[in-house]
Amino acid sequence: MKITVVGSGYVGLVSGACLADMGNDVLCFDLDARKIDMLREGRVPIFEPGLDALIQRNSAAGRLRFTTDIEDSVRHGSVQFIAVGTPPGEDGSADLSHVVAAARNIGRHLDGYCVVVDKSTVPVGTADRVRAAIAEELKKRGASHEFAVVSNPEFLKEGAAIDDFLKPDRIVVGSDDERATRVMRELYLPFQRNHDRMIVMDVRSAELTKYAANAMLATRISFMNELANLAEKLDADIELVRRGIGSDPRIGYHFLYAGTGYGGSCFPKDVKALQRTANEYGANLHILEAVERVNEQQKSRLIDKVEARFGADLSGRCFALWGLAFKPNTDDMREAPSRVIVRGLIERGAKIIAYDPVAEEEAQKVFAGMHDISFATSPMAAIHDADALLIVTEWKEFRSPDFESIREGLRAPVIFDGRNMYDPSIVRSYGLEYHAIGRP
């Protein structure tokens, strides 16, 4: 099948590469010439495990190509995926200008039947706007080509996106057109050989499903963080509570980990956008208002613990910080808790020595102009002569550290663990103070 992917960002590249890997002829379009040149050279502008090899393999096979030519991209694909960014506006609403622009380009150059797929995370009603924009451009041309617009939201976890696409737990398709539904079934058949994972529904329900999924996961995180803060006051252990409630099959273990709050490009943006949509229809999502408020407060929880241990004035103090990305296996620092923690400690007079195995380059951009943060080449290099260690991202390489060397390297033998990575009794057996989230 000939497929065009409009937008060569995170979702577009993963989708395009995975579709090409199944034998489809995929053309990825982007207006950013620098990005397209990188991709043609086999270099990938984002970090996602396995993506570089996947792109290189399918590019070499001729199944995956990249272009900045709008007309070529539209004329190539009988299926056109719109996978452009929808950044939040000042009022929290999703900015659909790139989505509508992509739709207009399709309308200007469409020369036959086409299924247009909204892959970007978009508010309910976006498919109607895409359909209207294409129809308007066709009318200007005096053309009458048939087309259909479907919603096919992505459920890709950063750090595991390729597996999520190749082995989906569900494929949501919002379609009101039988022909378009058949096309989507054919397209996704190779990804669901053992049983049918496609859930077909009306377009608006599909658009809402994406927001609802992310809002539910964000809610679980904020609920556990708020419960963890209560557990500290009650001298209870949130990790034991997590195991106790997670063993209930109605609840499950996923997204029940207390920590320093959620970040990234999806949860914060989608929670805000869903609230904005509700407000536009005269409704209030009080639970999501609380979810967002709790999350913002939780990002400062480690700062509160540092202040309680070392005082509000941290002048002359130096802290080692492990982890900068909002989660492991990505370099994404959008809305990352580390941004709040680093700035908060520096504002109180501290210096930071940070280590992240992947996100240092991105962090240097985020913290550009801030002279009180430096970057180490290894976890142990960050610790040397620091007053304490803060763990902000749960990278695998932090799971089993040399606690004896940590104690010897720190000025004060103190660990602030924002991800509850360790058994408190083991850490304390090495003569280290251990301050976690929701643990006595």
Side-chain angles (χ1 to χ4, degrees):
M1 194 175 293
K2 290 184 179 294
I3 299 167
T4 295
V5 179
V6 182
S8 297
Y10 184 84
V11 173
L13 284 178
V14 171
S15 301
C18 290
L19 288 166
D21 209 44
M22 292 295 127
N24 294 293
D25 181 1
V26 179
L27 182 62
C28 291
F29 165 80
D30 204 283
L31 290 171
D32 187 340
R34 183 187 63 83
K35 182 188 294 184
I36 294 299
D37 288 341
M38 285 182 65
L39 291 164
R40 284 172 173 168
E41 294 167 3
R43 295 181 293 132
V44 181
I46 59 173
F47 177 82
E48 176 63 33
L51 182 59
D52 51 354
L54 192 66
I55 288 175
Q56 290 161 10
R57 180 172 71 246
N58 285 283
S59 295
R63 295 188 296 266
L64 181 62
R65 293 175 293 119
F66 304 94
T67 186
T68 57
D69 190 305
I70 294 173
E71 185 173 354
D72 281 354
S73 71
V74 176
R75 294 186 185 279
H76 172 81
S78 58
V79 178
Q80 301 266 334
F81 279 88
I82 298 179
V84 296
T86 55
E90 291 184 5
D91 61 356
S93 61
D95 181 355
L96 296 179
S97 59
H98 300 301
V99 173
V100 174
R104 291 196 176 282
N105 285 333
I106 292 171
R108 289 177 188 128
H109 302 289
L110 190 63
D111 62 355
Y113 178 77
C114 174
V115 177
V116 179
V117 183
D118 281 339
K119 197 69 174 172
S120 303
T121 300
V122 292
V124 175
T126 299
D128 295 335
R129 293 185 61 179
V130 168
R131 189 179 296 108
I134 295 172
E136 184 180 335
E137 295 300 327
L138 286 172
K139 185 177 180 180
K140 288 179 183 177
R141 293 167 49 199
S144 57
H145 302 298
E146 292 186 13
F147 70 95
V149 179
V150 305
S151 173
N152 175 218
E154 54 86 11
F155 298 98
L156 307 177
K157 298 186 296 290
E158 291 191 50
I162 292 173
D163 268 356
D164 286 344
F165 199 102
L166 295 177
K167 304 171 185 176
D169 47 21
R170 81 282 206 196
I171 301 166
V172 173
V173 173
S175 173
D176 303 316
D177 182 283
E178 288 188 12
R179 182 179 178 185
T181 302
R182 290 196 299 271
V183 170
M184 297 301 288
R185 286 195 181 280
E186 179 184 346
L187 178 64
Y188 278 114
L189 188 61
F191 300 95
Q192 43 180 345
R193 295 293 300 277
N194 58 353
H195 68 275
D196 186 4
R197 295 182 176 90
M198 183 175 289
I199 305 170
V200 180
M201 59 186 72
D202 64 276
V203 173
R204 285 181 167 246
S205 294
E207 291 171 331
L208 182 57
T209 295
K210 169 61 177 180
Y211 278 120
N214 280 353
M216 172 61 80
L217 297 176
T219 299
R220 286 170 70 99
I221 293 171
S222 281
F223 173 76
M224 287 304 292
N225 282 333
E226 198 158 47
L227 207 60
N229 297 338
L230 175 62
E232 288 184 13
K233 296 181 182 296
L234 299 176
D235 202 28
D237 189 333
I238 195 62
E239 279 297 294
L240 299 178
V241 174
R242 178 186 67 80
R243 289 163 57 188
I245 65 175
S247 60
D248 185 332
R250 296 171 301 173
I251 298 173
Y253 290 103
H254 294 300
F255 288 83
L256 288 187
Y257 291 91
T260 55
Y262 61 77
S265 62
C266 294
F267 288 4
K269 174 174 69 71
D270 294 352
V271 168
K272 286 184 172 68
L274 188 52
Q275 289 181 82
R276 176 66 181 178
T277 296
N279 292 339
E280 289 174 355
Y281 284 83
N284 291 307
L285 300 179
H286 300 298
I287 290 176
L288 291 191
E289 291 171 4
V291 165
E292 189 175 22
R293 184 169 61 252
V294 168
N295 190 61
E296 289 308 305
Q297 293 169 351
Q298 196 69 16
K299 290 180 180 181
S300 299
R301 194 77 181 107
L302 280 191
I303 299 174
D304 297 339
K305 290 178 177 290
V306 170
E307 279 192 345
R309 175 60 175 79
F310 291 101
D313 183 1
L314 300 177
S315 300
R317 299 285 187 183
C318 178
F319 296 98
L321 190 146
W322 285 1
L324 293 163
F326 87 94
K327 62 180 284 187
N329 297 320
T330 181
D331 62 350
D332 194 342
M333 286 191 60
R334 286 173 287 185
E335 303 285 344
S338 65
R339 299 172 73 134
V340 174
I341 293 166
V342 167
R343 288 196 168 93
L345 294 176
I346 289 175
E347 286 170 0
R348 289 160 175 78
K351 294 184 182 296
I352 305 293
I353 303 174
Y355 169 76
D356 190 289
V358 170
E360 180 182 331
E361 184 178 345
E362 187 64 26
Q364 288 177 342
K365 299 174 187 174
V366 169
F367 300 121
M370 298 180 68
H371 304 295
D372 290 321
I373 180 172
S374 58
F375 301 92
T377 56
S378 70
M380 297 310 295
I383 283 173
H384 182 67
D385 262 355
D387 287 286
L389 167 63
L390 282 71
I391 300 171
V392 181
T393 312
E394 64 275 31
W395 286 95
K396 284 184 179 179
E397 65 182 272
F398 303 157
R399 288 184 182 178
S400 186
D402 185 339
F403 289 116
E404 192 169 331
S405 295
I406 291 175
R407 188 193 69 237
E408 292 172 355
L410 293 171
R411 292 179 191 167
V414 183
I415 295 178
F416 298 95
D417 183 357
R419 296 299 177 185
N420 290 350
M421 295 190 71
Y422 310 124
D423 183 323
S425 62
I426 292 176
V427 178
R428 289 171 184 142
S429 72
Y430 286 91
L432 288 156
E433 282 184 39
Y434 184 61
H435 303 271
I437 304 293
R439 313 194 75 175

